[in-house]
């Protein structure tokens, strides 16, 4: 478990380091980053909206944790997100076309019409780990860009396909990558609000979206010697 945790964090960190252009970040060495620096610092709830490629645009609901800084300027933030929507009409037509190619249906001279599939909903419960490259601004807010990896459990449901192989085709568990940029502001001593734009790639499903939310933060830790700004953000 400990090795898997380190591998996952190193993967996310690698995506960030490759894309970072900040001179201060380039000056750091690998020794500056260690998952043992992480600790629970806050929890947030957010609401968002996404525009998936195969389902109708829909709200999202997330719980987000702040685990502090893995190293200089790199914050780790796991989250759990849920959304549910209806498969688009054009996707139903595509699904019917694919089913009609099955030899078992062709041999029986059966053609499925999209309308016969009825209304099919698709939901997603995901767990993600994001790494944020954070910097402050002169306006008492801080901003970030980041990347993350996640695991998405997709579940399809519909009265016409319930208990059939079609429902099984719509159910899957897939890995994903996401890219994000956001801004946060500390309204009160322990309360932050944030907004985030996000783009997610899940298997053959992709979607842009945004999130807005609020987080309750624990008192900052005392910064270690030479630790800079980690404890104050």
């Amino acid at each position: 478990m400990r090795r898997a945790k380190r591998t996952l964090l190193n993967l996310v960190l690698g995506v960030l380091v490759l894309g970072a252009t900040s001179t201060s970040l380039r000056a750091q060495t690998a020794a500056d980053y260690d998952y043992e620096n992480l600790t629970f610092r806050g929890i947030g709830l957010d609401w968002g909206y996404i525009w998936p490629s195969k389902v109708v645009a829909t709200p999202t609901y997330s719980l987000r944790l702040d685990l502090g800084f893995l190293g200089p300027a790199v914050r780790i933030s796991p989250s759990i997100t849920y959304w549910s929507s209806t498969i688009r009409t054009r996707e139903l037509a595509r699904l019917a076309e694919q089913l009609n190619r099955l030899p078992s249906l062709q041999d029986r001279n059966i053609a499925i019409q999209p309308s016969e599939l009825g209304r099919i909903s698709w939901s997603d419960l995901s767990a993600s780990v994001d790494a944020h490259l954070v910097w402050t601004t002169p306006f008492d807010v801080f901003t970030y860009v980041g990347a993350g990896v996640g695991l998405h459990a997709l579940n399809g449901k519909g009265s016409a396909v319930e208990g059939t192989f079609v429902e099984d085709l719509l159910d899957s568990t897939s890995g994903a990558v996401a890219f994000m940029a956001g801004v946060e502001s500390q309204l009160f001593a322990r309360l932050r609000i944030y907004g985030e734009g996000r783009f997610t790639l899940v298997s053959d499903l992709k979607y842009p979206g945004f999130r807005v939310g609020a987080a309750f933060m624990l008192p900052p830790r005392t910064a270690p010697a030479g630790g800079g700004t980690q404890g104050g953000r």
Side-chain angles (χ1 to χ4, degrees), residues 41-78:
R41 298 179 66 246
I43 184 170
L45 294 173
D46 60 61
W47 174 91
Y49 212 79
I50 58 172
W51 290 265
S53 54
K54 294 187 176 184
V55 301
V56 177
T58 185
T60 67
Y61 307 92
S62 302
L63 182 146
R64 184 172 98 166
L65 302 181
D66 188 329
L67 295 187
F69 286 79
L70 178 66
V74 179
R75 180 180 64 183
I76 301 300
S77 180

Side-chain angles (χ1 to χ4, degrees), residues 105-171:
L105 295 182
Q106 292 179 346
D107 292 344
R108 297 162 59 187
N109 198 26
I110 296 176
I112 296 176
Q113 301 300 317
S115 58
E116 295 176 319
L117 295 176
R119 183 179 183 274
I120 298 179
S121 64
W122 216 7
S123 63
D124 177 29
L125 180 63
S126 63
S128 304
V129 178
D130 300 338
H132 300 156
L133 177 62
V134 183
W135 66 94
T136 58
T137 73
F139 307 105
D140 293 328
V141 300
F142 57 92
T143 53
Y144 62 89
V145 296
V149 293
L151 192 64
H152 291 244
L154 294 163
N155 182 36
K157 290 184 179 180
S159 57
V161 300
E162 184 176 0
T164 69
F165 74 95
V166 178
E167 183 178 16
D168 294 336
L169 290 175
L170 296 172
D171 296 344

